[in-house]
Amino acid sequence: MLLQYAKEHHFPNPTFFVDDGVSGVTYDRPGFQAMLAEIEAGRVAVAITKDLSRLGRNSALTGLYTNFTFLQNGVRFIAINDNYDTIDPNRVDNDFAGIKNWFNEFYARDTSRKIGAVQKAKGERGVPLTTNVPYGHVKDPENPRR
């Protein structure tokens, strides 16, 4: 999706910074830190993400990066699916970025709470919380939950 967008909008030499498997609630992600280093070194003109949540899921820090850090370093930021583009600060879609960032943060917190509640309920019912059995134990061949 990002490569196609870059080609269609004539952005040459795209470089990808990937953080697969790392939570977006933290900014201490290898790909993000590498991108930030390139931005601060002045080697980035445009940063493109699928949507605002891919930049991060902390509304305050995401706003700081999009409205200050990128701007200070002369970097245009585009979030494709959110129709967000810093080239035109008066776009109506840009006005809703703060609200979207807040929802992205809320979604991450809400999901975390729900997962925690499910894990707690499983533990209280005696259902194993891991797929690997502790050292010295064997799975029941008749019932893989025992």
Side-chain angles (χ1 to χ4, degrees):
M1 172 190 226
L2 297 174
L3 183 58
Q4 180 181 350
Y5 186 90
K7 284 180 181 178
E8 288 173 0
H9 292 84
H10 309 290
F11 293 121
N13 308 319
T15 301
F16 294 89
F17 299 94
V18 181
D19 284 317
D20 284 342
V22 183
S23 174
V25 298
T26 178
Y27 289 84
D28 190 23
R29 306 184 314 256
F32 181 81
Q33 291 301 317
M35 179 188 73
L36 201 55
E38 290 295 304
I39 287 171
E40 290 171 349
R43 292 190 285 263
V44 177
V46 181
I48 305 170
T49 59
K50 177 181 166 190
D51 54 50
L52 286 163
S53 71
R54 298 300 171 203
L55 184 62
R57 295 195 176 185
N58 176 308
S59 60
L61 288 176
T62 300
L64 178 70
Y65 285 114
T66 59
N67 297 318
F68 181 73
T69 305
F70 292 171
L71 187 65
Q72 185 179 24
N73 288 283
V75 175
R76 175 181 176 187
F77 176 70
I78 300 169
I80 299 169
N81 287 341
D82 289 325
N83 204 23
Y84 180 87
D85 190 341
T86 58
I87 199 165
D88 181 6
N90 294 320
R91 290 173 67 144
V92 173
D93 291 313
N94 289 7
D95 293 340
F96 293 103
I99 295 168
K100 287 181 180 180
N101 287 334
W102 183 83
F103 273 110
N104 292 334
E105 181 177 345
F106 173 78
Y107 176 78
R109 263 194 264 145
D110 188 47
T111 301
S112 178
R113 273 190 227 115
K114 288 177 181 175
I115 290 171
V118 167
Q119 292 293 83
K120 182 178 180 209
K122 277 182 168 181
E124 288 171 349
R125 288 193 323 264
V127 175
L129 301 177
T130 64
T131 56
N132 299 324
V133 295
Y135 181 76
H137 293 80
V138 178
K139 279 189 178 183
D140 183 345
E142 304 288 321
N143 182 355
R145 291 183 171 231
R146 294 180 66 197

